[in-house]
Amino acid sequence: MKQYHIETYGCEMNKAESAAMEATLREHGWKRVSEQDADLVILNTCTVRTTAENRAWNRISQLSARKKERAFALAVVGCMAEQHKGAIQKKAPGVDYVLGTFQKQSFGLMLDLVAKGEKIDVLEETPTYVFGASYHEPGAFRSFVPIMHGCNNFCSYCIVPYVRGREISRNPSDILKEIDQLEDLGVREITLLGQNVNSYRWEEQGHVLDFPGLLKLIARHLHDRQSSDAHGRIGWIRFLTSHPKDLSDSLIDTIAEDPIFCRHIHLPVQSGSNSVLARMNRKYTREYYLSLVDRLKAAMPDLTLSTDILVGFPGETDDDAEQTLDLMRQVRFAYSFMYHFNARGGTPAASMPDKVPDKAKKKRLAHVIALQKEITSALMKERLGQIDEVLIEGVSRRSKKEVLARTARDEMVVLPAAQSRIGQFARVKLVSISGNTFRGEEV
Ligand code: SF4
């Protein structure tokens, strides 16, 4: 049997795309093994963050060197392959196949050619994005469902629109089909995935389906399906990522109306300063963001918010940085992904003047991290004693007698329970805190 090994760098989108590639690999009769035994090693790369890109470049060199010891095919796919195809071929002749984001439909063809020991020029542009086949990690109770791809926003620091292209929404009937398959496989929670899910738009026969419309369609479909027979149920729906400028009142009403939508939204703010937001081309102001948070919390008082914060953007002053801290205090995010600015070649921000010195960037990031820690800890303490529903996801890393679960608000809870409960919903009381995880007891 032909054997493959795949490594994924970067974001959740990339993980979902690797999962889809694995489904295709299996369909073509390939088996997953460790890198040492693989006939084909695939690196699914990401250029969104410098660290992920550097790690992929290191891995390419390492694997190219290893080809002197044994024969195997090396493929680089994903957005780094899209952006740096020429450089990869020049710098790393050991790479046999380079498949960009828009050449996904060539993946099956590439597998057939690897099996025959042939090479192809897969660099030719085919500018149509193909959504991956349904894939489900056996035994997993959570799954991603891609609903759109690409981004039209051109935030000045971000490479995504250049390497993933413009927004393309997925056909709603394919989405429903995939959800049905996942439910039949035992999935209990889905996350609808896209760079900016709020701008989902599907037009057919003069009728436009927007993101709130899609959410309603999915919820209605699941409720009908679940009431019509004894299907195990998908009880929770999440979505990722939301651009604040596109989060409409109609979306807020839709989520608030149906508890199938989890009470957690990831809403990247990036900065609390209007001048920085304008240079980032985020297309909203601090006041707009705060009013959006007010509307969300008024509609769903139990909602948690998480965010991305980027400090040290070119031209950011101490006062700008203070405004970010102030916004964090006002919103009280449950958690944040926090970064300092690193220029991505090819983006407008890379050539902006007034770069913030490294020392100041690191200091500001440390302040943001310390404040987030404080807020997270205070929010967790406020939750102690409360009872909430969780989905039991797996065995705890510490003890086989404990399981790991998650609330709809995206909080992790460890509780004593038998492994047979994995995949079930349960009601738990949050009794204590250990790091960023609650300890709970079933009630
Ligand atoms: S919304 Fe902005 S940060 Fe997000 S993917 Fe699009 S361009 Fe990048």
Side-chain angles (χ1 to χ4, degrees), residues 39-51:
D39 306 306
L40 167 66
V41 177
I42 304 163
L43 303 182
N44 187 11
T45 58
C46 175
T47 50
V48 177
R49 304 214 182 281
T50 320
T51 40

Side-chain angles (χ1 to χ4, degrees), residues 120-131:
I120 43 162
D121 175 14
V122 288
L123 293 175
E124 201 180 307
E125 287 292 336
T126 43
T128 324
Y129 182 78
V130 177
F131 284 94

Side-chain angles (χ1 to χ4, degrees), residues 21 118 125 136 244 376 427:
M21 275 186 253
E118 288 173 20
E125 287 292 336
H136 168 61
T376 303
R427 286 191 72 73

Side-chain angles (χ1 to χ4, degrees), residues 142-273:
R142 311 174 72 214
S143 190
F144 290 114
V145 177
I147 63 160
M148 61 178 302
H149 187 269
C151 184
N152 293 351
N153 286 312
F154 291 92
C155 300
S156 61
Y157 52 86
C158 181
I159 199 79
V160 165
Y162 305 94
V163 291
R164 295 194 166 240
R166 299 302 86 77
E167 289 167 359
I168 301 171
S169 294
R170 188 179 185 190
N171 186 326
S173 38
D174 290 346
I175 297 173
L176 293 181
K177 221 180 286 162
E178 176 160 5
I179 291 173
D180 286 351
Q181 286 164 353
L182 291 170
E183 194 170 59
D184 291 344
L185 286 166
V187 166
R188 297 291 168 260
E189 176 193 310
I190 52 167
T191 302
L192 307 176
L193 199 61
Q195 255 91 30
N196 178 16
V197 287
N198 296 349
S199 59
Y200 176 90
R201 185 186 160 88
W202 184 262
E203 203 170 340
E204 206 168 304
Q205 291 169 355
H207 176 73
V208 173
L209 186 71
D210 61 5
F211 187 52
L214 177 71
L215 289 186
K216 281 184 200 150
L217 180 77
I218 294 172
R220 208 179 315 124
H221 177 78
L222 284 174
H223 292 317
D224 288 351
R225 189 168 143 93
Q226 286 157 6
S227 60
S228 66
D229 60 20
H231 277 292
R233 63 183 185 107
I234 288 178
W236 284 350
I237 302 173
R238 302 179 191 272
F239 49 84
L240 193 72
T241 296
S242 289
H243 194 302
K245 79 172 168 54
D246 298 318
L247 204 157
S248 63
D249 285 343
S250 136
L251 178 58
I252 297 175
D253 293 342
T254 304
I255 310 164
E257 268 164 23
D258 192 335
I260 198 166
F261 301 114
C262 286
R263 294 312 191 226
H264 166 248
I265 296 182
H266 187 71
L267 194 63
V269 66
Q270 308 299 359
S271 170
S273 152

Side-chain angles (χ1 to χ4, degrees), residues 352-421:
M352 280 185 185
D354 304 324
K355 296 276 184 306
V356 176
D358 268 6
K359 207 169 149 198
K361 282 199 281 193
K362 283 183 185 151
K363 197 169 148 202
R364 287 174 197 168
L365 183 60
H367 286 158
V368 164
I369 292 171
L371 176 59
Q372 184 57 60
K373 226 169 154 182
E374 228 176 79
I375 295 169
T376 303
S377 161
L379 288 171
M380 288 180 79
K381 281 185 192 142
E382 287 168 22
R383 285 280 275 157
L384 285 180
Q386 294 184 10
I387 292 171
D388 211 342
E389 192 177 25
V390 293
L391 172 60
I392 301 176
E393 290 180 0
V395 187
S396 145
R397 273 193 223 122
R398 288 208 197 133
S399 160
K400 288 210 164 85
K401 290 184 183 151
E402 291 179 331
V403 292
L404 194 61
R406 190 187 300 260
T407 67
R409 297 163 61 155
D410 207 23
E411 300 151 314
M412 298 310 296
V413 186
V414 169
L415 66 146
Q419 290 185 28
S420 57
R421 302 293 311 283

